[in-house]
Amino acid sequence: MRLSHSLVPTLKETPTEAQIVSHRLMLRAGLVRQTAAGIYAWLPAGLRVLQKVARIVREEQDAAGAQELLMPTIQPAELWRESGRYEDYGKEMLRLKDRHERDLLYGPTNEEMITDLFRQSVRSYRALPQILYHIQWKFRDEVRPRFGVMRGREFLMKDAYSFDIDYAGAVASYRRMMLSYMRTFRRMGLKAIPMQAESGPIGGNMSHEFIILAPTGESAVYYDAAFEEIDYSASGFDIFSEADLDRFFGLVTTHYAATDEKHDPAAFAALAAGRRREGRGIEVGHVFYFGTKYSTAMGFAVAGPDGRPVAPEMGSYGIGVSRLVGALIEAFHDEAGIIWPDAVAPFRAAILNLKAGDPACERMAEDLYGKLAPSVLYDDREERAGVKFADADLMGHPWQLIVGPRGAARGQVELKRRASGERQELSLDSALAQIV
Ligand code: ATP
Ligand code: MG
């Protein structure tokens, strides 16, 4: 993209409405704009990040054997009357009527719809287990939308649903999704800690929230230092081996970790003092087992091995895709702006032409752009060098290719790594070789 002809409205001043750093930087770096309370337009650079986050989520869901489908955002109220949630959901649900006065709603989640799709065509236990997911916009009329995309009203979620014939199968699906989540967040450079969460009416220990540590997080969290030391996703587990999944689940749940809702001060106090960690965290994912709640309520059963009807066991697994963009910025920034991890950066690099109009600089910058487009942003604006440096730091490109008259005359470009601030003078070829 050529910045001179792009909708990337960076701001020098800090917007007053934004209370936390990720919200401020998302506005300042021109990633999003609010169109109504808690509802955002994703501008070109922001959308690129959102899509990269979604792609990592998708790849890891696929690698765990989940199938992608796409359910609509608008749902009929009847389905939710069957489960009993139409009334229960309360004011967070956005309710609509069509021209025939039929009740519709903008989906806050999809348990009812996926159960309905399953019951229409799955008849036998032989077709189970299955996990399905989609990445789709949700609407929840939050009382207090705030912190930008972190607590929006319209937000992008990956939600997966597992169907198993028995409890043992449901446990395996649950653990598989947990491992897949650890890998997903890891690939984005994030350390997510699974913490026991409220498990609802079914009880048990099969509800975990995945928490990213950040001082601005909405929940207080308490955990064992082990989570800072060990990468539980990297131990060569086979995600399709039940023995490996057991081992993984054992490891990840041995150490204490809980949000304020489930915090057990006595258990926490029992940890060696040097291992107790307290902080705040952002919930980026939630995995949940709920047994036959929806299959039973909605009359969905399959023929079991002995021919008798069995209500499938289910779980649901959410990741806040749009919230993650904010959470990533909370985790990766400095005073100058965002520091994108390579895996999610909107642009791999920015080309800064420090002297627009200078023939040698133009030639070199165009040459680089020709080789790297469309994965880089070319700052070809007629702006002062200082403005270009500041905007590149603000936008957080992992690399900056700085083209100035002195270097251009010698066929050299300056390569800057945003994270370390390290700069090198290189030939074009060596610079290109470094950033791919
Ligand atoms: P919270 O406790 O933050 O309100 P929740 O428990 O209601 O979230 P889930 O139903 O578990 O959320 O949704 C799955 C994921 O979707 C959450 O882990 C979170 O990352 C994301 N999410 C939920 N609500 C929002 C929102 N209003 N804006 C952005 N992301 C959200
Ligand atoms: Mg939750």
Side-chain angles (χ1 to χ4, degrees):
M1 255 163 66
R2 287 174 193 269
L3 193 49
S4 62
H5 290 75
S6 298
L7 186 62
V8 184
T10 54
L11 304 173
K12 257 216 307 284
E13 275 80 43
T14 298
T16 49
E17 76 268 30
Q19 299 165 35
I20 63 171
V21 67
S22 59
H23 188 192
R24 286 197 288 273
L25 289 174
M26 286 186 79
L27 294 172
R28 285 195 54 213
L31 303 181
V32 293
R33 285 295 182 264
Q34 180 171 282
T35 61
I39 303 179
Y40 288 84
W42 291 77
L43 302 187
L47 180 61
R48 290 170 80 111
V49 182
L50 188 68
Q51 286 171 336
K52 288 197 175 174
V53 170
R55 186 187 311 147
I56 293 174
V57 170
R58 175 177 289 121
E59 284 173 4
E60 291 300 324
Q61 290 288 295
D62 293 345
Q67 315 159 63
E68 185 170 11
L69 81 169
L70 184 58
M71 292 179 270
T73 53
I74 303 290
Q75 305 187 22
E78 286 89 80
L79 284 179
W80 289 67
R81 292 203 172 97
E82 283 190 57
S83 71
R85 284 209 293 180
Y86 190 64
E87 303 308 329
D88 289 357
Y89 218 92
K91 288 199 162 176
E92 272 199 12
M93 181 186 276
L94 181 64
R95 294 156 208 262
L96 331 153
K97 271 191 200 299
D98 68 11
R99 62 166 70 196
H100 306 292
E101 294 292 305
R102 280 187 289 248
D103 291 322
L104 299 171
L105 58 102
Y106 195 120
T109 177
N110 286 67
E111 281 83 2
E112 284 81 355
M113 187 168 276
I114 195 80
T115 306
D116 179 50
L117 292 168
F118 248 75
R119 80 178 162 185
Q120 286 178 37
S121 43
V122 178
R123 305 261 175 265
S124 162
Y125 78 96
R126 286 195 192 85
L128 303 183
Q130 290 195 37
I131 302 178
L132 286 111
Y133 75 97
H134 71 162
I135 299 176
Q136 178 62 292
W137 294 92
K138 305 290 187 289
F139 195 95
R140 295 182 185 174
D141 205 351
E142 301 273 357
V143 197
R144 265 212 314 155
R146 57 183 183 156
F147 301 158
V149 301
M150 296 263 243
R151 183 164 297 283
R153 292 197 296 166
E154 187 183 57
F155 58 97
L156 190 60
M157 197 205 283
K158 184 285 299 179
D159 38 324
Y161 304 92
S162 64
F163 293 85
D164 282 274
I165 194 64
D166 54 21
Y167 179 71
V171 168
S173 295
Y174 184 89
R175 295 177 178 183
R176 180 167 299 131
M177 279 294 116
M178 276 188 87
L179 177 54
S180 150
Y181 276 31
M182 294 297 271
R183 292 180 173 169
T184 302
F185 300 128
R186 193 73 229 147
R187 274 184 64 185
M188 297 172 195
L190 292 171
K191 196 143 216 177
I193 305 179
M195 304 201 177
Q196 270 230 24
E198 223 38 83
S199 47
I202 295 144
N205 63 351
M206 295 228 287
S207 172
H208 286 88
E209 289 174 350
F210 284 76
I211 304 283
I212 301 296
L213 301 171
T216 49
E218 290 187 290
S219 343
V221 298
Y222 306 84
Y223 60 97
D224 189 311
F227 285 105
E228 291 170 355
E229 294 151 11
I230 311 169
D231 176 4
Y232 293 100
S233 65
S235 311
F237 300 111
D238 172 358
I239 202 162
F240 296 108
S241 148
E242 280 195 32
D244 280 17
L245 289 173
D246 287 355
R247 203 156 52 80
F248 158 74
F249 188 75
L251 278 176
V252 96
T253 52
T254 325
H255 303 292
Y256 187 83
T259 62
D260 38 10
E261 281 182 350
K262 289 284 280 187
H263 182 46
D264 173 356
F268 188 59
L271 294 180
R275 307 204 62 77
R276 275 178 239 146
R277 296 281 189 276
E278 279 181 51
R280 301 199 67 80
I282 301 166
E283 178 192 327
V284 290
H286 193 167
V287 291
F288 198 83
Y289 162 75
F290 46 75
T292 64
K293 176 175 170 184
Y294 296 94
S295 41
T296 301
M298 297 178 69
F300 169 40
V302 296
D306 59 4
R308 272 200 285 254
V310 181
E313 298 262 341
M314 294 172 59
S316 66
Y317 314 91
I319 290 183
V321 175
S322 49
R323 177 179 288 183
L324 266 169
V325 177
L328 279 157
I329 296 174
E330 290 292 326
F332 302 109
H333 69 271
D334 62 13
E335 317 74 58
I338 304 169
I339 307 173
W340 288 118
D342 297 83
V344 296
F347 302 97
R348 184 144 55 105
I351 301 166
L352 313 190
N353 182 355
L354 299 188
K355 202 158 184 202
D358 175 85
C361 289
E362 293 280 346
R363 222 176 307 117
M364 177 175 275
E366 289 290 341
D367 187 18
L368 284 168
Y369 186 56
K371 292 187 167 116
L372 293 167
S375 63
V376 300
L377 184 69
Y378 175 16
D379 191 346
D380 60 341
R381 296 174 301 173
E382 288 182 20
E383 284 284 1
R384 285 180 296 110
V387 172
K388 295 190 178 185
F389 286 134
D391 275 352
D393 281 353
L394 171 64
M395 293 181 68
H397 317 289
W399 299 99
Q400 295 171 18
L401 287 157
I402 302 160
V403 178
R406 262 192 312 119
R410 287 181 285 126
Q412 301 258 298
V413 62
E414 194 176 13
L415 180 67
K416 175 179 160 183
R417 181 71 172 158
R418 173 70 175 88
S420 62
E422 194 188 318
R423 291 158 176 261
Q424 293 168 273
E425 281 268 329
L426 298 168
S427 70
L428 289 202
D429 287 344
S430 330
L432 288 173
Q434 284 224 26
I435 68 171
V436 286

